[in-house]
Amino acid sequence: MQDKSTHKNDFGLIGLAVMGQNLILNVESRGFKTAVYNRTYSVTEKFVSQHPDKQLQGFEELSDFVQSLERPRKVMIMVKAGPAVDVVIEKLIPLLEEGDLIIDGGNSLYTDTERRSQELGGKGLLFVGSGVSGGEEGALKGPSIMPGGPTSSWKVVQPIFEAISAKVDGEPCVTHIGKGGAGHYVKMIHNGIEYGDMQLICEAYALFKAAGFTTDEMATIFDDWNNSELESYLIQITAKIFEIQDPETNQPLIDVIMDKAGQKGTGQWTLINGAENAVVISTINAAVEARILSSLKAQRVIAVNELQGPSEFNSDWDKATFVAKVKKALFASKIISYAQGLDLIKTMGEAKQWDLNLGNIAKIWRGGCIIRAAFLNDITKAYQGNPELSNLMLDPYFKDILNDSQQAWREVVALGVSQGIAIPAFSASLSYYDSYRNDRLPANLLQAQRDFFGAHTYERTDKPAGEWFHTDWPEVID
Ligand code: 6PG
């Protein structure tokens, strides 16, 4: 039943695609009076009529929607990231009053969020750019929420966000990430890590498939893994995917799905940001690039008959050994992926003076979001124990896992290489590990080359750092 009291609506949402619909139903279910607006009014009408028993008011006019809200007004925008967000904000500005709050809950680029934050701040309006993760189900039942903006803006929406977010051990999966674009930035890296996790799982699948495992066997393996240190949403859904048969062909559905990956851009943004900050995120990069290569299906179909590889798959391992080794390679690579993503967050946070708390960020990823995983408890502990941790690999718990896994990890990467199975994220992760743990890389030769052709100078191992040397290298005559 509609609440007929004079109390105005507590929260308004613009954009009734599935995420918006589910999010506002979630808000309503926590006892808040809600208002909704969609550019096409028929969508609003349909949505409201489907939920007659909810405290959900639909509006045809944006001004009526705004007027229906309790002050300070809280308006959440759930529209496609990009210019559509600006269009909605432009329409809202003349209707709102000082102290009212706009929240952008889409996957906006953090630099857009910073610009919008500045523009709205200049008009006396509050703005929160918030990552919301968890897909459609998360939006309805409890997402992980990554809000960014001034503390004063966060405070306005805090009770609602804490009410609607997922809970782990009774704690809400939402925290004020930091000012400006920090929330959307951390969501972007979350997505980069999501790409990494997904690709690593796909590489395990590629190896299993090449080795002749059936989809039923793979369903069991992933199910078992979900009851281990690998427990996570993505492992769980992978097990479920392998169980589904295609009703048309009676084959496993996975076998008839086209092997061309889509992407909406957050992974590519992460890759660009890694380069801008000179932070190595090679596992995430490999994952983004694997999606790009997968999309070149037409070229791959030609190349399969042109470019040679090993003729048939060969491995001496029995199935149990194979599974155990791939599991170690997957978990070790996953640790590397998170180490890289968190390193990027740390570096960027320092550059932007966002004062980010990596322990709290890992903590709100434990539930609700796509990358939720049991091991985020251990990452949380690692940063709570040592907020200055330079790299996750050096945390005692993760160091032990990497040391224990490294031999199997190498064998799996070697197998992929020798058998012609592309495992770019497994191998990028291992190369990162091997580079990081090496105290003498071949960069001495690189420095010599730079000094040879450009007199760029070099430091010496036997002299203090910061002293620069140049050699008169012999001339080369072509
Ligand atoms: C989430 C997801 C969600 C969406 C991404 C990924 O955290 O709920 O990350 O935001 O699935 O946009 O999309 P692409 O794989 O299409 O880039």
Side-chain angles (χ1 to χ4, degrees):
M1 286 297 290
Q2 288 260 325
D3 184 341
K4 302 281 186 219
S5 71
T6 50
H7 180 73
K8 290 190 160 192
N9 290 313
D10 300 300
F11 193 81
L13 185 132
I14 299 177
L16 288 174
V18 187
M19 283 294 285
Q21 290 193 8
N22 284 357
L23 204 77
I24 200 67
L25 289 173
N26 183 354
V27 175
E28 195 278 341
S29 74
R30 317 287 161 169
F32 297 103
K33 283 184 73 179
T34 57
V36 287
Y37 174 87
N38 194 72
R39 194 176 47 168
T40 313
Y41 182 54
S42 56
V43 175
T44 311
E45 279 185 307
K46 186 169 171 217
F47 175 60
V48 173
S49 69
Q50 281 169 342
H51 302 281
D53 52 341
K54 308 272 184 212
Q55 298 203 72
L56 197 61
Q57 245 187 316
F59 292 89
E60 185 165 13
E61 295 300 328
L62 190 62
S63 53
D64 294 339
F65 162 84
V66 169
Q67 281 309 312
S68 83
L69 297 168
E70 192 71 37
R71 293 212 60 214
R73 300 183 179 93
K74 294 166 264 306
V75 180
M76 186 153 182
I77 307 176
M78 291 297 285
V79 301
K80 192 172 185 288
V85 177
D86 291 306
V87 170
V88 175
I89 290 175
E90 279 311 307
K91 287 186 182 156
L92 278 171
I93 289 172
L95 302 173
L96 294 173
E97 292 169 84
E98 198 170 332
D100 287 346
L101 170 70
I102 298 177
I103 306 148
D104 172 17
N107 271 331
S108 290
L109 184 59
Y110 74 95
T111 45
D112 284 343
T113 303
E114 306 230 290
R115 170 179 57 76
R116 290 169 187 144
S117 195
Q118 287 243 320
E119 286 168 7
L120 290 166
K123 295 181 185 343
L125 295 173
L126 309 181
F127 186 63
V128 164
S130 184
V132 178
S133 178
E136 295 171 19
E137 200 187 338
L140 183 65
K141 296 181 180 162
S144 173
I145 312 179
M146 293 150 250
T151 310
S152 51
S153 306
W154 154 242
K155 291 277 174 209
V156 174
V157 75
Q158 183 174 4
I160 297 178
F161 273 10
E162 287 185 348
I164 66 169
S165 69
K167 310 285 179 301
V168 174
D169 301 334
E171 292 188 80
C173 292
V174 56
T175 188
H176 181 220
I177 301 289
K179 60 187 181 192
H184 274 140
Y185 178 79
V186 166
K187 175 58 170 45
M188 176 182 87
I189 306 299
H190 163 285
N191 280 24
I193 292 174
E194 174 185 305
Y195 276 50
D197 274 351
M198 293 168 80
Q199 175 63 21
L200 290 170
I201 290 173
C202 289
E203 293 181 14
Y205 162 60
L207 290 163
F208 288 141
K209 200 164 162 58
F213 285 75
T214 65
T215 37
D216 281 347
E217 284 172 319
M218 288 189 260
T220 306
I221 293 165
F222 277 85
D223 216 23
D224 289 346
W225 285 359
N226 197 42
N227 290 307
S228 75
E229 64 275 20
L230 277 174
E231 180 192 335
S232 62
Y233 173 71
L234 286 167
I235 293 281
Q236 186 190 13
I237 66 165
T238 303
K240 292 273 169 274
I241 288 168
F242 289 135
E243 284 167 14
I244 306 295
Q245 294 291 115
D246 172 39
E248 268 184 52
T249 59
N250 284 326
Q251 292 179 55
L253 180 61
I254 188 71
D255 290 344
V256 295
I257 294 179
M258 179 62 74
D259 52 328
K260 279 167 77 172
Q263 52 183 325
K264 293 199 209 76
T266 47
Q268 282 164 287
W269 295 345
T270 306
L271 188 151
I272 292 165
N273 184 256
E276 281 171 353
N277 283 286
V279 173
V280 177
I281 49 164
S282 50
T283 310
I284 297 170
N285 289 356
V288 175
E289 289 171 355
R291 288 199 192 192
I292 296 169
L293 266 169
S294 81
S295 72
L296 305 178
K297 176 83 177 182
Q299 291 181 44
R300 292 191 286 118
V301 167
I302 295 168
V304 73
N305 297 316
E306 302 295 329
L307 304 173
Q308 290 177 3
S311 47
E312 64 184 41
F313 188 86
N314 250 311
S315 158
D316 296 338
W317 301 334
D318 62 34
K319 284 195 166 172
T321 308
F322 199 99
V323 173
K325 286 186 192 288
V326 172
K327 184 182 182 190
K328 287 196 173 200
L330 175 58
F331 195 39
S333 301
K334 185 176 165 84
I335 292 168
I336 300 300
S337 182
Y338 281 68
Q340 294 177 351
L342 289 162
D343 186 20
L344 182 52
I345 292 179
K346 184 172 189 279
T347 305
M348 181 76 172
E350 282 165 4
K352 300 283 285 184
Q353 298 184 315
W354 277 335
D355 201 19
L356 302 180
N357 182 322
L358 294 189
N360 286 349
I361 291 170
K363 199 168 166 191
I364 63 157
W365 287 348
R366 294 178 307 156
C369 64
I370 303 296
I371 64 169
R372 61 186 181 263
F375 96 138
L376 278 158
N377 273 312
D378 303 302
I379 298 185
T380 305
K381 278 186 212 148
Y383 284 100
Q384 281 172 343
N386 178 8
E388 302 311 316
L389 186 63
S390 57
N391 190 299
L392 186 66
M393 292 187 291
L394 297 179
D395 170 74
Y397 173 78
F398 289 108
K399 182 182 72 180
D400 284 353
I401 296 174
L402 292 170
N403 286 337
D404 172 64
S405 307
Q406 58 95 22
Q407 185 54 38
W409 191 10
R410 287 178 203 294
E411 290 170 19
V412 168
V413 171
L415 180 79
V417 171
S418 70
Q419 301 306 304
I421 313 295
I423 43 170
F426 275 12
S427 23
S429 307
L430 181 58
S431 289
Y432 177 84
Y433 173 82
D434 279 336
S435 295
Y436 193 86
R437 63 174 196 86
N438 198 327
D439 66 356
R440 185 80 176 141
L441 289 170
N444 48 339
L445 175 57
L446 204 138
Q447 286 295 77
Q449 291 165 336
R450 292 177 69 239
D451 192 54
F452 195 122
F453 64 66
H456 293 296
T457 71
Y458 54 85
E459 292 170 298
R460 292 179 57 99
T461 54
D462 54 0
K463 294 279 191 304
E467 266 186 57
W468 296 93
F469 298 87
H470 169 64
T471 293
D472 285 326
W473 302 94
E475 266 182 46
V476 178
I477 295 139
D478 289 326

